[in-house]
Amino acid sequence: VGRGLFTASPSAREVVAGRIRYPVHRVGGSGELNKLPAAVQGPLTALEVEVSGAARTDGDLLVVDGPLRSRRNLPRTLGYIKTQHSQYLDARLTAVVTGLRSGQRSPVFRLGTAWGGYSWYLRLPVASGAPWAGIVRVECSAELPEPAAIGLADLSLVTLPRFASTPYKDPRAPQNLVPIAGLERRLRALLGDARLLHRALTAAARTGR
């Protein structure tokens, strides 16, 4: 778990509450409030890359939550995108995606983005008949040979649906995979009780610690 105090205040100091420390990450320039999300994203991405690299110790398949980005060089690694905010295919090919049945995937295609890479869509087990229900996008490194990318797409199809969540346990089912949901619960537990933490941080800020 990484913590930090992201602020444009030139006088801000790190906040220490018992054994918990919030180092200062200063945001400069004009429009500081709009820059805060990007300021948080940098350390977050660095931590994700560090954790992903530590987990990549053998030949097993590694699935990371979200696009690969800086993790695209990790071997046998897939980026798992739960929510589809962007469209990468034209209307004709999008119809192929929305026509997928549970347990089916689209053909593999190349992303026309700065990060590049191969990508495909698959539909997880879902009862709803909505066009995009249960659809996730998966991606892998552009540096792989095409047959290797297709092999990973096939592997994702027989692997990811097994870990799909169910609606009565998770409102974000089926896209929020069971291991991801478990990790989220673990991270919340490591952060500690939000009310006690807020009280400690307020007291520390008042004393200037």
Side-chain angles (χ1 to χ4, degrees):
V1 175
R3 296 180 170 88
L5 172 61
F6 295 82
T7 177
S9 171
S11 60
R13 295 183 295 173
E14 72 172 16
V15 177
V16 180
R19 292 179 296 175
I20 299 173
R21 175 175 168 266
Y22 285 75
V24 173
H25 296 265
R26 217 170 300 282
V27 181
S30 59
E32 293 88 352
L33 186 60
N34 293 331
K35 294 181 179 179
L36 285 176
V40 173
Q41 190 61 46
L44 175 61
T45 299
L47 180 59
E48 288 177 341
V49 171
E50 179 184 350
V51 172
S52 299
R56 176 76 292 161
T57 57
D58 50 38
D60 288 344
L61 184 69
L62 176 65
V63 179
V64 300
D65 190 14
L68 286 176
R69 295 198 177 106
S70 300
R71 299 168 289 189
R72 64 189 185 280
N73 292 326
L74 294 173
R76 291 178 60 79
T77 301
L78 302 178
Y80 178 79
I81 297 88
K82 300 189 289 288
T83 306
Q84 311 310 315
H85 295 298
S86 302
Q87 295 293 327
Y88 297 96
L89 303 174
D90 62 31
R92 180 179 61 86
L93 296 177
T94 296
V96 174
V97 177
T98 56
L100 294 173
R101 297 193 297 271
S102 295
Q104 289 185 329
R105 71 164 178 86
S106 75
V108 176
F109 58 92
R110 289 294 295 262
L111 288 171
T113 63
W115 292 102
Y118 295 97
S119 189
W120 58 93
Y121 292 92
L122 65 84
R123 192 186 296 272
L124 298 171
V126 65
S128 172
W132 287 90
I135 294 288
V136 297
R137 186 173 67 82
V138 189
E139 62 183 38
C140 65
S141 172
E143 298 179 6
L144 291 172
E146 186 175 307
I150 294 173
L152 285 176
D154 290 338
L155 184 59
S156 73
L157 186 61
V158 298
T159 303
L160 297 180
R162 297 167 51 198
F163 299 99
S165 52
T166 52
Y168 75 92
K169 289 184 177 181
D170 192 331
R172 293 174 292 171
Q175 284 94 329
N176 201 44
L177 301 180
V178 172
I180 294 176
L183 176 60
E184 291 173 342
R185 289 192 296 270
R186 175 60 177 161
L187 290 175
R188 281 194 293 269
L190 290 174
L191 286 172
D193 186 282
R195 295 166 298 178
L196 294 177
L197 186 58
H198 182 268
R199 185 188 308 168
L201 290 173
T202 300
R206 287 173 179 170
T207 59
R209 294 177 57 192

